[in-house]
Every structure is written in structure tokens, then in C-alpha cells.
Amino acid sequence: MKTRTTVIALIALALAGTAPGALLAAGPSLPAADKTPEALIGHARAVVLAPHFSREDITGALAEVLDAALLILPATDYADDFKARIGTVRKMLAEGVLFSDKERQYLGFAYKMVNGGAAWQVPAELTAEARMEKSIDLARKICAGLLDSALAEHKAGRRELAVRDLLGFVILVVTPMEA
């Protein structure tokens, strides 16, 4: 029987150790002075791949990824609208909102802006039938891959593609999935 779940909820519950009897462990911390896109992306990657992280760790990592996206975004005719939408989502994350239709809607519009009007799609690997444990590991790998791709695109000067991958990561984390 399929149940409606959220990929990040599964990841967070499995990795943060919120299962009964498990202990929470703090995720990697980012030095306050290092707010370059590379550092923000690297920290988010470390949180996603950490054996344990808390809800605060993941919401902080998502906010940092959005900050990196704002730093990387090139000057475009849609930049102001993009920044306003990301600012709203950033504020929601700061308030502790992790799973919200409004959040996903704003992220989806911003994603379309940097992706030539094409909407975000659930990665094909996650839509296939898989055991729950494999889905969690696969989602973590996809998340890390999106962050790695964003960093590579940024280093290659393809800023919109980098921002697209960063938003793809955030959307994947906050989107409900069939499990």
C-alpha cells in the first residue's frame, strides 16, 4: 500500500535519528564569516550527507542554498521577481516552515524563471518503485548530485544553470512524494 510521505521528512527522520530511542546529533556548522556561494553549497551538501541532522540543520541548509542562489543569480529582467519569491520562501524557512504549498509554489515559479519556463519535475529515479530505505539513500544521492552540479555550473560561469540546480535541490527536499 502506498502512503503519502515527504522525501525530506523521511530523510530527516531517518538521518536525524528521530526514530524512537535514537539520539539527535548536530550537523556540520558553517563559520559565520564564510558566506560565499561555494561555502554555502558545501555546507548544505555536508548537512545532507551527514549521518545525523536535525530539522533546524536542514532548514538552515535550505536557507543557505537559497542565499547562494541569490548570490549567483545573474542580472536578468526577472531578477527582482525572482529575489522577491526567494525572499518569501527564505522568510518562511526562518520561521520554521518546511513543508508548505505556498513555499513550493513560489519555488516553482522561481525555478521556471531560470529554466526557460519549464517546470520542475520529480527525478525519474524517485518515481520508480523502490523500497523505502533505498528511496531515502537515493534521494540523498540526488540531493548531493544537484548541489555538486550547481557548484560545477557556477565554477564554469553558467550561473542560471547553477541557480536552477540549487532550486531543484530545495524543491526536491520540500515536495511530497509517493513512497
Side-chain angles (χ1 to χ4, degrees):
M1 175 178 170
K2 291 187 178 192
T3 59
R4 187 130 177 108
T5 62
T6 304
V7 168
I8 193 57
L10 295 174
I11 295 170
L13 291 174
L15 301 176
T18 56
L23 297 173
L24 288 176
S29 62
L30 181 67
D34 198 359
K35 298 294 182 182
T36 63
E38 296 83 1
L40 295 168
I41 295 167
H43 180 251
R45 188 179 193 284
V47 169
V48 168
L49 294 178
H52 305 287
F53 58 83
S54 67
R55 181 182 177 100
E56 291 76 25
D57 292 333
I58 196 64
T59 56
L62 293 172
E64 289 173 350
V65 166
L66 294 176
D67 289 345
L70 291 173
L71 291 170
I72 293 171
L73 182 71
T76 62
D77 58 341
Y78 60 79
D80 289 340
D81 189 23
F82 181 92
K83 289 176 183 178
R85 291 179 190 282
I86 296 304
T88 299
V89 174
R90 179 76 176 74
K91 181 180 176 191
M92 292 172 75
L93 288 170
E95 294 169 352
V97 176
L98 189 55
F99 309 111
S100 158
D101 289 338
K102 180 179 179 180
E103 194 175 52
R104 284 187 298 279
Q105 182 182 32
Y106 275 50
L107 288 166
F109 287 142
Y111 184 90
K112 285 180 179 181
M113 289 178 200
V114 295
N115 197 34
W120 179 82
Q121 299 291 319
V122 174
E125 304 93 328
L126 290 177
T127 59
E129 295 292 324
R131 287 184 42 227
M132 188 67 63
E133 297 81 29
K134 289 183 181 177
S135 295
I136 292 168
D137 290 339
L138 182 57
R140 286 176 49 156
K141 288 178 187 175
I142 291 170
C143 285
L146 284 167
L147 293 171
D148 291 343
S149 177
L151 196 53
E153 296 291 1
H154 173 58
K155 288 180 180 179
R158 295 183 293 267
R159 296 166 64 182
E160 280 183 303
L161 294 176
V163 172
R164 179 203 63 197
D165 288 342
L166 292 174
L167 290 181
F169 162 75
V170 176
I171 296 169
L172 177 59
V173 170
V174 301
T175 299
M177 303 282 170
E178 289 292 326

